[in-house]
Amino acid sequence: MTSTENKAGDDLATLKSTVETTISLIQQLQAFANAPEDTKEGSAEEEPKPKHADVNAIDLAHDSASLIRAHSTKLSLLIVNKPFTASAINQVLREIIAGPLPGLASAVEICNAERYTKTMSEELQWRVTKVLTELSTLINAIPLDGKTLSDDKKNGTGKSNGKGSLASTGIVWDACDSVIALKTLGVAGLAMKKAEEYRDLVKDALEELQAWAEEESDDEDDDEDSGDEGDEKKDAQDIVDDFFGSQRHIPKDDPEKIREKLESSMKRLRLIVLMYQAVVKRRFNTLPYLPHPELPAQLKEKSSEDPGIVECLDEVLVRMKKITDLTDDLASAFYELDSATIDKLMDETWFTGFATIELLIKNWEGQKDDFTTWAYKFQLAMKKGW
């Protein structure tokens, strides 16, 4: 056996070991990233100053994800292009282990809810976990037999299992891009994105209710015009289809006043949609930069690091999300003609909307402004007839 063959064999053995080490590290980091936040750092008494307080978690995540994206590109090329060079692949993996992977884990640790909001902390955790999962898939595709991947394994064709190394690389890129994008979004941008998603869900529920209300109106007119003649003209299959396919309809006499409640609900849901839009424009768009920089020691006695902004923002988003869930349940209650549940959900939905805007009456400096006036009008409109 020549020295060249010996070296190739040694390089391949080293590569196998490095692949195992990398996969093991990724698994450990996945477990860490998904661990509850209070298990990642010591208590306040043990650690009065946050670790890495001078490091911006989002910047660190951005840089680490950018490096992983670049290294995954190198890795993808090395495993499909001849000649197969185990030492080069090994070097790429070592570089990933040395910097970007620990960097992502550190970013998740530093991005705590107290400084970055729970919303950003959970979002970064989810996106980093996605990067780790997809990177693991790509690394598992590295051939350990000393040969480059076949076209089938590269493209995910033929009898090969999986989606292919090229597709896996693309998915790693997408996952990295989602982490990188958080730097551009920032806490304010993420809050606006979430609020707009919640608004769209409420709009969808409102549109469905409007369509159902129109169907109810049309059905009522048809019933008045047709009487019983329609049933006589239907064959047996039509009757069966109607029985199993139709929704329940509001009775003509409407003893539970469901039509009245439906009109009231749609009116208030339109107001809630406007609330989401106004909050995004007048409050989230004017959020101060988060996280706040560490205050000098001499100022800590006079001012806290976070004047309630982080907690307020998280609470507003929680309530906005709750409204979408309540709205969905409310629509279902209308379809079921469940009057008692409709009443309960109407009260809870309107109260949540009222309470959400209450948190934002004043701006982030604690002052009243034009939005304050609008918020009071919104609350009055929500309370009217409630």
Side-chain angles (χ1 to χ4, degrees):
M1 184 178 290
T2 66
S3 59
T4 301
E5 291 174 333
N6 285 333
K7 184 178 184 305
D10 291 343
D11 288 345
L12 192 58
T14 302
L15 176 60
K16 291 178 181 178
S17 176
T18 306
V19 167
E20 291 175 0
T21 300
T22 308
I23 294 298
S24 177
L25 176 60
I26 289 175
Q27 290 171 345
Q28 293 174 39
L29 295 180
Q30 284 175 315
F32 172 80
N34 291 317
E37 185 172 315
D38 57 4
T39 66
K40 296 176 185 175
E41 295 187 7
S43 66
E45 293 180 2
E46 296 171 343
E47 199 172 344
K49 182 178 180 179
K51 290 189 291 185
H52 313 298
D54 56 338
V55 177
N56 186 295
I58 308 305
D59 289 347
L60 178 58
H62 171 279
D63 295 345
S64 299
S66 298
L67 286 172
I68 287 177
R69 194 185 195 283
H71 282 85
S72 67
T73 303
K74 295 179 187 177
L75 195 59
S76 179
L77 293 173
L78 287 169
I79 62 178
V80 298
N81 291 324
K82 296 179 180 179
F84 182 83
T85 312
S87 59
I89 298 172
N90 187 62
Q91 180 62 30
V92 173
L93 292 178
R94 288 185 181 278
E95 289 173 359
I96 292 175
I97 293 172
L101 281 180
L104 279 183
S106 295
V108 171
E109 179 182 13
I110 298 167
C111 188
N112 58 63
E114 288 72 23
R115 299 189 69 222
Y116 291 83
T117 72
K118 184 178 180 182
T119 304
M120 177 59 84
S121 179
E122 291 179 347
E123 188 72 18
L124 178 62
Q125 176 180 315
W126 184 85
R127 296 189 186 199
V128 165
T129 299
K130 179 70 172 174
V131 171
L132 296 175
T133 300
E134 300 307 334
L135 180 62
S136 178
T137 300
L138 178 60
I139 292 173
N140 276 317
I142 295 174
L144 300 177
D145 58 0
K147 300 177 182 178
T148 56
L149 292 179
S150 65
D151 287 342
D152 283 342
K153 289 185 177 180
K154 178 175 70 174
N155 300 313
T157 55
K159 297 181 179 180
S160 65
N161 295 322
K163 46 187 171 280
S165 66
L166 293 182
S168 294
T169 304
I171 296 173
V172 172
W173 289 351
D174 289 342
C176 290
D177 288 343
S178 73
V179 173
I180 292 168
L182 286 177
K183 182 175 180 178
T184 302
L185 270 179
V187 174
L190 182 62
M192 288 189 279
K193 181 175 180 291
K194 293 287 185 183
E196 288 165 354
E197 290 172 356
Y198 299 151
R199 177 205 62 197
D200 290 344
L201 290 173
V202 175
K203 285 178 69 175
D204 289 344
L206 173 59
E207 289 170 2
E208 289 175 5
L209 279 174
Q210 287 173 329
W212 184 69
E214 290 170 3
E215 289 176 6
E216 284 293 324
S217 178
D218 292 342
D219 289 341
E220 187 176 356
D221 293 339
D222 291 342
D223 288 343
E224 291 176 357
D225 294 339
S226 63
D228 295 330
E229 294 178 7
D231 288 339
E232 295 175 1
K233 296 178 181 178
K234 291 181 179 179
D235 60 24
Q237 185 60 49
D238 289 334
I239 294 172
V240 171
D241 291 342
D242 286 347
F243 180 79
F244 287 103
S246 62
Q247 291 179 319
R248 299 180 65 183
H249 296 287
I250 301 173
K252 288 183 181 179
D253 56 349
D254 194 12
E256 302 289 346
K257 297 184 178 180
I258 289 178
R259 287 189 183 86
E260 181 180 321
K261 294 172 184 176
L262 179 60
E263 287 298 322
S264 174
S265 293
M266 290 193 296
K267 185 182 298 183
R268 284 180 172 80
L269 286 176
R270 293 187 192 101
L271 284 173
I272 286 176
V273 169
L274 288 176
M275 178 199 75
Y276 280 95
Q277 295 171 181
V279 168
V280 166
K281 182 177 180 180
R282 299 294 185 179
R283 287 294 182 257
F284 289 177
N285 196 40
T286 60
L287 269 166
Y289 179 79
L290 293 173
H292 296 303
E294 187 75 11
L295 292 175
Q298 63 269 26
L299 296 181
K300 284 190 174 181
E301 294 181 2
K302 298 180 180 180
S303 175
S304 63
E305 183 182 344
D306 169 42
I309 293 175
V310 169
E311 290 184 6
C312 177
L313 181 57
D314 273 331
E315 184 59 29
V316 168
L317 289 171
V318 166
R319 294 185 186 187
M320 284 183 163
K321 173 64 168 63
K322 182 179 179 181
I323 289 172
T324 66
D325 297 334
L326 290 170
T327 302
D328 190 51
D329 292 341
L330 178 61
S332 297
F334 272 113
Y335 302 148
E336 295 296 325
L337 307 184
D338 187 343
S339 181
T341 302
I342 289 171
D343 291 341
K344 175 179 176 294
L345 289 170
M346 283 175 66
D347 284 346
E348 194 171 355
T349 305
W350 314 151
F351 175 79
T352 305
F354 186 95
T356 300
I357 210 70
E358 182 69 25
L359 290 170
L360 299 169
I361 290 292
K362 295 181 180 179
N363 63 23
W364 303 115
E365 288 76 39
Q367 305 297 319
K368 293 184 177 181
D369 56 12
D370 291 342
F371 180 81
T372 304
T373 304
W374 183 90
Y376 285 142
K377 291 179 180 178
F378 170 84
Q379 289 181 323
L380 285 173
M382 291 295 289
K383 289 172 66 176
K384 191 175 182 180
W386 170 20

